Amino acid sequence: MVIIAYNDAQILDVACPSGALEIANGHGAVPPYAIELATVTGRGVRSSSGIALTGARRLASVTGQIDTMLVVGGHGTRAAMADDGLLTQVRRLARRSRRIASVCTGAFVLAAAGLLDGRRATTHWAYGDLLAAHFPAVTVDLAPLFVQDGNVYTSAGVTSALDLTLALVEADHGPTVAREVARELVTYLQRPADQAQISMFLAPPPPGDRLVRDLLAHIAAHPGDDLSPAALAARAQVSPRHLTRLFVTHAGTTPARAVRAARTEAAAHLVRGSELSLAAVARRCGFGSAEVLRQAFLDHYGVTGDRVRRMADMPEALDRPTTQTVEHGGSAGDRH
């Protein structure tokens, strides 16, 4: 893993992926990740918080195949976009990388290097319009926490780097290692890429059955879709009765209850994080009306929608629902 930084980079954009990958190594990531910080000069850089990031490698000295190249964001992004030497090295290393990724406004650097042309990408919500205006060849989607388009991954603001990194760890080493990383970080389990705000709690382990796991991810990512038992069964190519048996066995709940829980959580985060009316939130999250949504909030959290909105400054309060919820140099064998 080569993490590319520059002056005035956001320190969390470096720390989140590198810290998560270090922990993955401690939980059985084989081959382990070899994490290197690289800069144009090979000298350390100053983060936007004033803390120096040292131990960097010169970008031009990075040779051979790279597993993942990740470009960070931060206040120094504008200068980085104009640094021809940096962009030349980003393009060169991209050709050697199995995966290319960015955190937050690092997407601007990838775009300036031409690596996002014709691709779907995301960035911090506050800079999406700017990314779209500067790079019309990029399809900017601000809804997800992170976007994968081919082998290119872009993530939203700062701590979404954890969601992206957990997804990479799961792809490389499976869900058990990813879950152990999340537990050690005392953070949420990886949230689905296409869902911006759903909380995935650490308490229950991910379902062992791949069909159920994939359907739960689909439910979380598309709360407004037709998620009836019949539609889910058709998607899974099983009968509705067999689908219910699978959910009860592997998720401890029925498909209908899993859908209601995921929709309620999605609605709660939309209410907390937007100015949408309850009726608009209800439509977006698959509820028939604002009244149905209000009842779901009462059943799930024991509070009304208006109370959920007033709890925006107390996010931990929504992590205690009243009903059960479903829910980033080494040896030759290391991953670079």
Side-chain angles (χ1 to χ4, degrees), residues 118-183:
R119 294 186 184 274
R120 178 170 161 258
T122 194
T123 188
H124 191 289
W125 59 267
Y127 300 100
D129 290 344
L130 193 61
L131 181 64
H134 272 72
F135 303 101
V138 180
T139 300
V140 178
D141 185 352
L142 297 182
L145 285 164
F146 65 91
V147 167
Q148 177 187 359
D149 190 326
N151 72 329
V152 178
Y153 297 73
T154 51
S155 61
V158 193
T159 57
S160 64
L162 279 179
D163 299 282
L164 170 61
T165 308
L166 286 169
L168 299 182
V169 170
E170 180 170 349
D172 294 339
H173 302 292
T176 300
V177 173
R179 180 172 182 267
E180 290 306 311
V181 173
R183 287 173 63 86

Coordinates of all heavy atoms in Angstrom, one line a residue, residues 118-183:
G118 N -14.3 9.5 -17.5 CA -15.2 8.5 -17.9 C -15.6 7.6 -16.7 O -16.3 6.6 -17.0
R119 N -15.3 7.9 -15.5 CA -15.6 7.1 -14.4 C -16.6 7.8 -13.4 O -16.7 9.0 -13.4 CB -14.3 6.7 -13.6 CG -13.4 5.8 -14.4 CD -12.2 5.4 -13.5 NE -11.2 4.6 -14.2 CZ -11.3 3.3 -14.4 NH1 -12.3 2.6 -13.9 NH2 -10.3 2.7 -15.0
R120 N -17.2 7.0 -12.6 CA -18.1 7.5 -11.5 C -17.2 7.6 -10.3 O -16.3 6.7 -10.0 CB -19.2 6.5 -11.3 CG -20.1 6.9 -10.1 CD -21.3 5.9 -10.1 NE -22.0 5.9 -8.8 CZ -21.9 4.9 -7.9 NH1 -21.1 3.9 -8.2 NH2 -22.5 4.9 -6.8
A121 N -17.3 8.7 -9.6 CA -16.4 9.0 -8.4 C -17.2 9.8 -7.4 O -18.2 10.4 -7.7 CB -15.2 9.7 -8.9
T122 N -16.6 9.8 -6.2 CA -17.2 10.6 -5.1 C -16.0 11.4 -4.4 O -14.9 11.1 -4.6 CB -18.0 9.8 -4.1 OG1 -18.7 10.6 -3.3 CG2 -17.0 8.9 -3.2
T123 N -16.4 12.3 -3.6 CA -15.5 13.1 -2.8 C -16.3 13.6 -1.6 O -17.4 13.3 -1.4 CB -14.8 14.2 -3.6 OG1 -13.8 14.8 -2.8 CG2 -15.8 15.3 -4.0
H124 N -15.6 14.5 -0.8 CA -16.3 15.1 0.3 C -17.5 15.9 -0.2 O -17.4 16.6 -1.2 CB -15.4 16.0 1.1 CG -15.9 16.6 2.4 ND1 -16.9 17.5 2.4 CD2 -15.5 16.3 3.6 CE1 -17.1 17.7 3.7 NE2 -16.3 17.0 4.5
W125 N -18.7 15.8 0.5 CA -19.9 16.4 0.0 C -19.7 17.9 -0.3 O -20.4 18.4 -1.1 CB -21.0 16.2 1.0 CG -20.8 16.7 2.4 CD1 -20.3 16.1 3.5 CD2 -21.1 18.1 2.8 NE1 -20.2 16.9 4.5 CE2 -20.7 18.2 4.2 CE3 -21.6 19.2 2.2 CZ2 -20.8 19.3 4.9 CZ3 -21.8 20.4 2.9 CH2 -21.4 20.4 4.3
A126 N -18.9 18.6 0.5 CA -18.7 20.0 0.3 C -18.0 20.4 -1.0 O -18.1 21.6 -1.4 CB -18.0 20.6 1.5
Y127 N -17.4 19.4 -1.6 CA -16.5 19.8 -2.8 C -17.0 19.1 -4.0 O -16.3 19.1 -5.1 CB -15.1 19.4 -2.5 CG -14.5 20.1 -1.3 CD1 -14.4 19.5 -0.1 CD2 -14.1 21.5 -1.4 CE1 -13.9 20.2 1.0 CE2 -13.6 22.1 -0.4 CZ -13.5 21.5 0.9 OH -13.0 22.2 1.9
G128 N -18.2 18.4 -4.0 CA -18.7 17.7 -5.1 C -18.9 18.6 -6.3 O -18.6 18.2 -7.5
D129 N -19.6 19.7 -6.1 CA -19.9 20.6 -7.2 C -18.6 21.1 -7.9 O -18.5 21.3 -9.1 CB -20.7 21.8 -6.8 CG -22.1 21.4 -6.4 OD1 -22.6 20.3 -6.8 OD2 -22.8 22.2 -5.7
L130 N -17.6 21.4 -7.1 CA -16.3 21.9 -7.6 C -15.6 20.8 -8.4 O -15.1 21.1 -9.5 CB -15.4 22.3 -6.4 CG -14.2 23.1 -6.8 CD1 -14.6 24.4 -7.4 CD2 -13.4 23.4 -5.5
L131 N -15.7 19.6 -8.0 CA -15.1 18.5 -8.7 C -15.8 18.3 -10.1 O -15.1 18.2 -11.1 CB -15.2 17.2 -7.9 CG -14.6 15.9 -8.6 CD1 -13.1 16.1 -8.7 CD2 -14.9 14.7 -7.7
A132 N -17.1 18.4 -10.0 CA -17.9 18.2 -11.3 C -17.6 19.4 -12.2 O -17.5 19.2 -13.5 CB -19.4 18.2 -11.0
A133 N -17.4 20.6 -11.7 CA -17.2 21.8 -12.6 C -15.8 21.7 -13.2 O -15.6 22.1 -14.4 CB -17.4 23.0 -11.7
H134 N -14.8 21.3 -12.4 CA -13.4 21.3 -12.9 C -13.2 20.1 -13.8 O -12.3 20.2 -14.7 CB -12.5 21.2 -11.7 CG -12.1 22.5 -11.1 ND1 -13.0 23.3 -10.4 CD2 -10.9 23.2 -11.2 CE1 -12.3 24.4 -10.0 NE2 -11.1 24.4 -10.5
F135 N -13.9 19.0 -13.6 CA -13.6 17.8 -14.4 C -14.9 17.2 -14.9 O -15.5 16.3 -14.4 CB -12.9 16.8 -13.5 CG -11.6 17.3 -12.9 CD1 -11.6 17.7 -11.6 CD2 -10.5 17.4 -13.7 CE1 -10.4 18.2 -11.1 CE2 -9.3 17.9 -13.2 CZ -9.3 18.3 -11.9
P136 N -15.5 17.8 -16.0 CA -16.8 17.4 -16.5 C -16.7 16.0 -17.1 O -17.8 15.4 -17.3 CB -17.0 18.4 -17.7 CG -15.7 19.0 -18.0 CD -14.9 19.0 -16.7
A137 N -15.6 15.4 -17.3 CA -15.5 14.0 -17.8 C -15.7 13.0 -16.7 O -15.8 11.8 -16.9 CB -14.2 13.7 -18.5
V138 N -15.8 13.5 -15.4 CA -16.0 12.6 -14.3 C -17.5 12.7 -13.9 O -18.1 13.8 -13.8 CB -15.2 13.1 -13.1 CG1 -15.4 12.2 -11.9 CG2 -13.7 13.1 -13.5
T139 N -18.1 11.5 -13.6 CA -19.5 11.5 -13.1 C -19.4 11.5 -11.6 O -19.0 10.5 -11.0 CB -20.2 10.2 -13.6 OG1 -20.2 10.2 -15.0 CG2 -21.6 10.1 -13.1
V140 N -19.8 12.6 -11.0 CA -19.7 12.8 -9.5 C -20.9 12.3 -8.9 O -22.0 12.8 -9.2 CB -19.4 14.2 -9.2 CG1 -19.3 14.4 -7.7 CG2 -18.1 14.7 -9.9
D141 N -20.8 11.4 -7.9 CA -21.9 10.9 -7.1 C -21.6 11.1 -5.7 O -20.7 10.5 -5.1 CB -22.1 9.4 -7.4 CG -23.4 8.9 -6.7 OD1 -24.0 9.6 -5.9 OD2 -23.7 7.7 -7.0
L142 N -22.3 12.0 -5.0 CA -22.0 12.4 -3.6 C -22.8 11.6 -2.6 O -22.6 11.8 -1.4 CB -22.3 13.9 -3.4 CG -21.4 14.8 -4.2 CD1 -21.8 16.3 -3.8 CD2 -20.0 14.6 -4.0
A143 N -23.7 10.7 -3.1 CA -24.5 9.9 -2.1 C -23.7 8.8 -1.4 O -23.8 8.7 -0.2 CB -25.6 9.2 -2.8
P144 N -22.8 8.1 -2.0 CA -22.1 7.0 -1.3 C -21.0 7.4 -0.4 O -20.4 8.5 -0.6 CB -21.6 6.1 -2.5 CG -22.2 6.7 -3.7 CD -22.4 8.1 -3.4
L145 N -20.6 6.5 0.5 CA -19.4 6.6 1.3 C -18.2 6.4 0.4 O -17.2 7.1 0.6 CB -19.4 5.6 2.4 CG -20.4 5.9 3.6 CD1 -20.6 4.7 4.4 CD2 -19.8 7.0 4.4
F146 N -18.2 5.5 -0.5 CA -17.2 5.3 -1.4 C -17.7 4.7 -2.7 O -18.8 4.1 -2.7 CB -16.0 4.5 -0.9 CG -16.3 3.0 -0.5 CD1 -16.2 2.0 -1.5 CD2 -16.8 2.7 0.7 CE1 -16.5 0.7 -1.2 CE2 -17.1 1.4 1.1 CZ -16.9 0.4 0.1
V147 N -17.0 4.9 -3.8 CA -17.4 4.4 -5.1 C -16.3 3.5 -5.7 O -15.1 3.9 -5.6 CB -17.7 5.6 -6.0 CG1 -17.8 5.1 -7.5 CG2 -19.0 6.3 -5.6
Q148 N -16.7 2.4 -6.2 CA -15.7 1.6 -6.9 C -16.2 1.6 -8.4 O -17.3 1.3 -8.7 CB -15.7 0.1 -6.5 CG -14.8 -0.8 -7.3 CD -14.9 -2.2 -6.9 OE1 -15.6 -2.6 -6.0 NE2 -14.2 -3.1 -7.6
D149 N -15.3 2.0 -9.3 CA -15.5 1.9 -10.7 C -14.3 1.2 -11.3 O -13.2 1.8 -11.4 CB -15.6 3.3 -11.3 CG -16.1 3.3 -12.7 OD1 -15.7 2.4 -13.5 OD2 -16.8 4.2 -13.2
G150 N -14.5 0.0 -11.6 CA -13.4 -0.9 -12.1 C -12.4 -1.0 -10.9 O -12.8 -1.4 -9.8
N151 N -11.1 -0.7 -11.2 CA -10.1 -0.9 -10.1 C -9.8 0.5 -9.4 O -8.8 0.6 -8.7 CB -8.8 -1.5 -10.7 CG -8.1 -0.5 -11.5 OD1 -8.7 0.4 -12.2 ND2 -6.7 -0.6 -11.6
V152 N -10.7 1.4 -9.6 CA -10.5 2.8 -9.0 C -11.5 3.0 -8.0 O -12.7 2.9 -8.2 CB -10.6 3.9 -10.1 CG1 -10.4 5.3 -9.5 CG2 -9.5 3.7 -11.2
Y153 N -11.1 3.4 -6.8 CA -11.9 3.6 -5.6 C -11.8 5.1 -5.2 O -10.6 5.5 -5.0 CB -11.6 2.7 -4.4 CG -11.7 1.2 -4.7 CD1 -10.8 0.5 -5.5 CD2 -12.7 0.5 -4.0 CE1 -10.9 -0.8 -5.7 CE2 -12.8 -0.9 -4.2 CZ -11.9 -1.5 -5.0 OH -12.1 -2.9 -5.2
T154 N -12.9 5.7 -5.0 CA -12.8 7.1 -4.4 C -13.8 7.1 -3.2 O -14.8 6.5 -3.2 CB -13.3 8.2 -5.4 OG1 -14.6 7.8 -6.0 CG2 -12.3 8.3 -6.5
S155 N -13.4 7.8 -2.1 CA -14.2 7.8 -0.9 C -14.5 9.2 -0.5 O -13.9 10.2 -1.0 CB -13.4 7.1 0.2 OG -12.2 7.8 0.5
A156 N -15.5 9.4 0.3 CA -16.0 10.7 0.7 C -15.1 11.3 1.8 O -13.9 11.0 1.8 CB -17.5 10.5 1.2
G157 N -15.7 12.1 2.7 CA -14.9 12.8 3.6 C -14.2 12.0 4.7 O -14.8 11.1 5.3
V158 N -12.9 12.2 4.9 CA -12.1 11.8 6.0 C -12.3 10.4 6.5 O -11.7 9.5 6.0 CB -12.2 12.8 7.1 CG1 -11.1 12.6 8.2 CG2 -12.1 14.3 6.6
T159 N -13.2 10.2 7.5 CA -13.4 8.9 8.1 C -14.0 7.9 7.2 O -14.0 6.7 7.6 CB -14.1 9.0 9.5 OG1 -15.4 9.6 9.3 CG2 -13.3 9.8 10.5
S160 N -14.6 8.3 6.1 CA -15.1 7.3 5.2 C -13.9 6.4 4.6 O -14.1 5.4 4.1 CB -15.8 7.9 4.0 OG -14.9 8.7 3.2
A161 N -12.7 6.9 4.9 CA -11.5 6.1 4.5 C -11.5 4.8 5.3 O -11.0 3.8 4.8 CB -10.2 6.9 4.9
L162 N -12.1 4.8 6.5 CA -12.2 3.5 7.2 C -13.1 2.6 6.5 O -12.9 1.4 6.4 CB -12.7 3.8 8.6 CG -11.7 4.2 9.7 CD1 -12.4 4.5 11.0 CD2 -10.6 3.2 9.8
D163 N -14.3 3.1 6.0 CA -15.2 2.2 5.3 C -14.6 1.6 4.1 O -14.7 0.5 3.8 CB -16.5 3.0 4.9 CG -17.2 3.5 6.2 OD1 -17.9 2.7 6.8 OD2 -17.1 4.7 6.5
L164 N -13.9 2.5 3.3 CA -13.2 2.0 2.1 C -12.1 1.0 2.5 O -12.0 -0.1 1.9 CB -12.5 3.2 1.4 CG -11.5 2.9 0.3 CD1 -12.2 2.1 -0.8 CD2 -10.9 4.1 -0.2
T165 N -11.3 1.3 3.5 CA -10.2 0.3 3.9 C -10.8 -1.0 4.4 O -10.3 -2.1 4.0 CB -9.3 1.0 4.9 OG1 -8.9 2.2 4.5 CG2 -8.1 0.1 5.2
L166 N -11.9 -1.0 5.2 CA -12.5 -2.2 5.6 C -13.0 -3.0 4.4 O -12.9 -4.2 4.4 CB -13.6 -1.9 6.6 CG -13.1 -1.5 8.0 CD1 -14.3 -1.0 8.8 CD2 -12.5 -2.6 8.7
A167 N -13.5 -2.3 3.4 CA -14.0 -3.0 2.2 C -12.8 -3.7 1.5 O -12.9 -4.8 1.0 CB -14.7 -2.0 1.3
L168 N -11.7 -3.0 1.4 CA -10.5 -3.5 0.8 C -10.0 -4.7 1.5 O -9.6 -5.8 1.0 CB -9.4 -2.5 0.6 CG -9.7 -1.2 -0.2 CD1 -8.5 -0.3 -0.3 CD2 -10.2 -1.6 -1.6
V169 N -10.0 -4.6 2.9 CA -9.5 -5.7 3.7 C -10.4 -6.9 3.5 O -10.0 -8.1 3.4 CB -9.5 -5.3 5.2 CG1 -9.2 -6.5 6.1 CG2 -8.4 -4.3 5.4
E170 N -11.7 -6.7 3.5 CA -12.7 -7.8 3.3 C -12.5 -8.5 1.9 O -12.5 -9.7 1.8 CB -14.1 -7.3 3.4 CG -15.1 -8.5 3.2 CD -16.5 -8.1 3.6 OE1 -16.7 -7.0 4.2 OE2 -17.4 -8.9 3.3
A171 N -12.2 -7.6 0.9 CA -12.0 -8.2 -0.4 C -10.7 -9.0 -0.5 O -10.7 -10.1 -1.1 CB -11.9 -7.1 -1.5
D172 N -9.7 -8.6 0.3 CA -8.4 -9.3 0.3 C -8.4 -10.5 1.2 O -7.8 -11.6 0.9 CB -7.3 -8.4 0.7 CG -7.1 -7.2 -0.3 OD1 -7.5 -7.4 -1.4 OD2 -6.5 -6.2 0.2
H173 N -9.1 -10.4 2.4 CA -8.9 -11.4 3.4 C -10.2 -11.9 4.0 O -10.1 -12.8 4.9 CB -8.0 -10.8 4.5 CG -6.6 -10.4 4.0 ND1 -5.7 -11.2 3.6 CD2 -6.1 -9.1 3.9 CE1 -4.6 -10.5 3.2 NE2 -4.9 -9.3 3.4
G174 N -11.3 -11.5 3.5 CA -12.6 -12.0 4.0 C -13.2 -11.2 5.1 O -12.6 -10.4 5.8
P175 N -14.5 -11.5 5.4 CA -15.3 -10.7 6.3 C -14.8 -10.8 7.8 O -15.0 -9.9 8.6 CB -16.7 -11.1 6.1 CG -16.6 -12.5 5.6 CD -15.4 -12.5 4.7
T176 N -14.3 -12.0 8.2 CA -13.9 -12.2 9.5 C -12.8 -11.2 9.9 O -12.8 -10.6 11.0 CB -13.5 -13.6 9.8 OG1 -14.6 -14.5 9.5 CG2 -13.1 -13.8 11.2
V177 N -11.7 -11.1 9.1 CA -10.6 -10.2 9.4 C -11.1 -8.8 9.4 O -10.7 -8.0 10.3 CB -9.5 -10.4 8.3 CG1 -8.4 -9.3 8.5 CG2 -8.9 -11.8 8.4
A178 N -12.0 -8.4 8.4 CA -12.5 -7.0 8.4 C -13.3 -6.7 9.7 O -13.2 -5.6 10.2 CB -13.4 -6.9 7.2
R179 N -14.1 -7.7 10.2 CA -14.8 -7.4 11.4 C -13.9 -7.3 12.6 O -14.1 -6.4 13.4 CB -15.8 -8.6 11.6 CG -16.7 -8.4 12.9 CD -17.8 -9.5 12.9 NE -18.6 -9.3 14.1 CZ -18.3 -9.9 15.3 NH1 -17.3 -10.7 15.4 NH2 -19.1 -9.6 16.3
E180 N -12.9 -8.1 12.7 CA -11.9 -8.0 13.8 C -11.2 -6.6 13.8 O -11.0 -6.0 14.8 CB -10.9 -9.1 13.8 CG -11.6 -10.5 14.1 CD -12.3 -10.4 15.4 OE1 -11.7 -9.9 16.4 OE2 -13.4 -10.9 15.5
V181 N -10.9 -6.1 12.6 CA -10.3 -4.8 12.5 C -11.2 -3.7 13.0 O -10.9 -2.9 13.8 CB -9.9 -4.5 11.0 CG1 -9.4 -3.0 10.9 CG2 -8.8 -5.5 10.6
A182 N -12.5 -3.8 12.6 CA -13.5 -2.9 13.0 C -13.7 -2.9 14.6 O -13.8 -1.9 15.2 CB -14.8 -3.1 12.3
R183 N -13.7 -4.1 15.1 CA -13.9 -4.3 16.5 C -12.7 -3.6 17.3 O -12.9 -2.9 18.3 CB -14.0 -5.7 16.9 CG -15.3 -6.4 16.5 CD -15.4 -7.8 16.8 NE -15.2 -8.1 18.2 CZ -16.1 -8.2 19.1 NH1 -17.4 -8.0 18.7 NH2 -15.9 -8.5 20.3

